[in-house]
Amino acid sequence: MLLHHVARLASLMENAMTVASILQEKGHDIIGIDEDATLMEAVAMLAEKRVGALLVRDSKGDIAGMLSERDIVRGLSAEGAPLLEKTVASLMTRAVVTITPQDSVNHVMAVMTHRRFRHLPVLDGGRLVGMISIGDVVKRRIAIAEMEAEELKHYIQSG
């Protein structure tokens, strides 16, 4: 009986601990903006969509960078309101770190913590398939802890 519960828990955890599992639950929507849009347009989009970062695309539709609320706040602190008339390209982060659907939740947590990122685009074979946030990762970790507790409860009750 113990082996059955351990094997079941291991199987559940393996499937639940990947970026793919997060995307399966939250969807593959990507909120982006063109690099030549103004920062004021970006601010409006962040507010309208209720997100903390935008994927920035170039004229060919490829990833050009990322723009976060933090980028905008830092820019406003340095330059003031005139910053909002500049383009997204003038402020975005160009060196975009990406993850894959096969990456583990633990790996993503480590990248986000070490690099101080709150959002990461997900590429599968070089194709953009989604974006996840630190909130998505925390939600997944809580769900995993709840699954583990439920499995332990079933084991104890069947014991």
Side-chain angles (χ1 to χ4, degrees):
M1 189 59 107
L2 174 61
L3 288 177
H4 168 74
H5 284 286
V6 170
R8 179 179 151 93
L9 184 58
S11 175
L12 284 171
M13 294 304 104
E14 184 176 326
N15 292 331
M17 297 281 295
T18 64
V19 170
S21 68
I22 293 173
L23 290 176
Q24 184 176 7
E25 182 178 313
K26 79 168 273 190
H28 296 265
D29 293 343
I30 301 159
I31 300 171
I33 194 164
D34 293 333
E35 66 183 344
D36 58 353
T38 67
L39 287 165
M40 189 64 207
E41 291 171 313
V43 167
M45 185 176 287
L46 287 165
E48 176 191 336
K49 301 295 185 179
R50 300 178 56 117
V51 295
L54 301 170
L55 185 77
V56 182
R57 295 183 186 258
D58 64 19
S59 60
K60 293 182 277 182
D62 295 330
I63 297 173
M66 290 282 294
L67 180 72
S68 72
E69 293 169 326
R70 287 179 173 184
D71 295 329
I72 294 167
V73 168
R74 287 182 185 123
L76 284 169
S77 174
E79 297 185 39
L83 173 82
L84 297 174
E85 296 172 18
K86 292 185 176 184
T87 66
V88 167
S90 70
L91 192 62
M92 70 183 182
T93 300
R94 293 181 186 278
V96 178
V97 173
T98 63
I99 54 176
T100 70
Q102 297 76 32
D103 284 330
S104 72
V105 171
N106 288 340
H107 169 74
V108 172
M109 285 177 58
V111 169
M112 288 179 156
T113 301
H114 176 72
R115 303 292 299 268
R116 300 181 62 104
F117 294 147
R118 292 176 172 250
H119 302 83
L120 290 171
V122 183
L123 295 181
D124 191 6
R127 197 176 109 251
L128 185 64
V129 295
M131 177 127 57
I132 64 169
S133 70
I134 190 70
D136 300 325
V137 174
V138 169
K139 182 179 177 183
R140 174 55 52 171
R141 290 291 293 160
I142 290 169
I144 291 166
E146 289 172 349
M147 281 193 302
E148 289 172 339
E150 194 61 33
E151 277 302 307
L152 287 172
K153 181 177 160 186
H154 285 323
Y155 170 68
I156 291 167
Q157 289 175 346
S158 67

